[in-house]
Amino acid sequence: MGTDPFRPLETTRLLLRCVVADDAVATAMMMTPEVSRWVAYWPVPFTYEMAVARIEAAREWARRGDALPFAVTDKAANGDLIGWVMIYRDEENRRRGSLGYWFGEKHHGKGYMRELAPIALAAGFDLLDLDVIEAAAQPENAASIAVMKACGMKPTGEGMVYAPARERHELCHFYEVQRPRALA
């Protein structure tokens, strides 16, 4: 683990570890318009410098115990970065958190998020001591909505969310999952 704020997690195909400075090049390259269109805080172009700053901030949040910024890597492809998953604590209600995720275009449709979601959510409940984790997606993002449903999240409503990446408010559907009783 070294200086990482949390230990890596594994699934059959994936390793989830804390993001590191060496992830900046791949992060910047993978943030294409097709990926950015679904995420509120990742604009395009997303430069190397922006990636470095995002990684430094995410690692600081992790050190403070406010986030789990996972770099998702493919164990079969020499640990190549394929995307990000982050669970971060709500600033107003520290017992609630939010799940955000994205994968590079060539990694879409491979079931990676369905594979890692149970492990990432369990880490959020355990390591961040959360009671509820929510996620949101635009109504047109059928893949993300299917993932949220598959990992046990229940719909809680819809609302407008400001997306700095596009400098506008966007309609999103919200889902959440409660801490399992076994972890309570």
Side-chain angles (χ1 to χ4, degrees), residues 93-143:
N93 180 350
R94 297 190 52 81
R95 301 295 296 187
R96 290 184 65 87
S98 294
L99 169 69
Y101 51 90
W102 62 265
F103 292 89
E105 283 184 67
K106 71 179 187 177
H107 307 291
H108 290 183
K110 297 185 178 181
Y112 291 138
M113 195 59 204
R114 287 181 192 239
E115 180 177 327
L116 70 82
I119 291 165
L121 290 170
F125 289 123
D126 182 39
L127 300 176
L128 296 179
D129 195 26
L130 301 173
D131 291 329
V132 177
I133 297 175
E134 71 175 6
Q138 299 99 327
E140 303 82 20
N141 191 344

Side-chain angles (χ1 to χ4, degrees), residues 6 15-20 23 69-73 81 83-85:
F6 55 86
L15 177 72
L16 286 73
R17 58 165 173 76
C18 191
V19 294
V20 295
D23 295 324
F70 294 112
V72 182
T73 64
L81 183 72
W84 279 51
V85 172

Side-chain angles (χ1 to χ4, degrees), residues 40-112:
Y41 294 95
W42 296 82
V44 287
F46 196 81
T47 65
Y48 169 79
E49 292 78 15
M50 293 166 79
V52 167
R54 177 73 52 99
I55 290 166
E56 287 174 359
R59 288 184 62 83
E60 178 56 29
W61 297 333
R63 280 191 286 279
R64 288 193 324 240
D66 290 332
L68 298 173
F70 294 112
V72 182
T73 64
D74 185 340
K75 293 193 307 192
N78 299 320
D80 289 347
L81 183 72
I82 62 172
W84 279 51
V85 172
M86 180 134 70
I87 298 175
Y88 55 94
R89 189 182 304 282
D90 184 304
E91 292 178 9
E92 294 176 18
N93 180 350
R94 297 190 52 81
R95 301 295 296 187
R96 290 184 65 87
S98 294
L99 169 69
Y101 51 90
W102 62 265
F103 292 89
E105 283 184 67
K106 71 179 187 177
H107 307 291
H108 290 183
K110 297 185 178 181
Y112 291 138

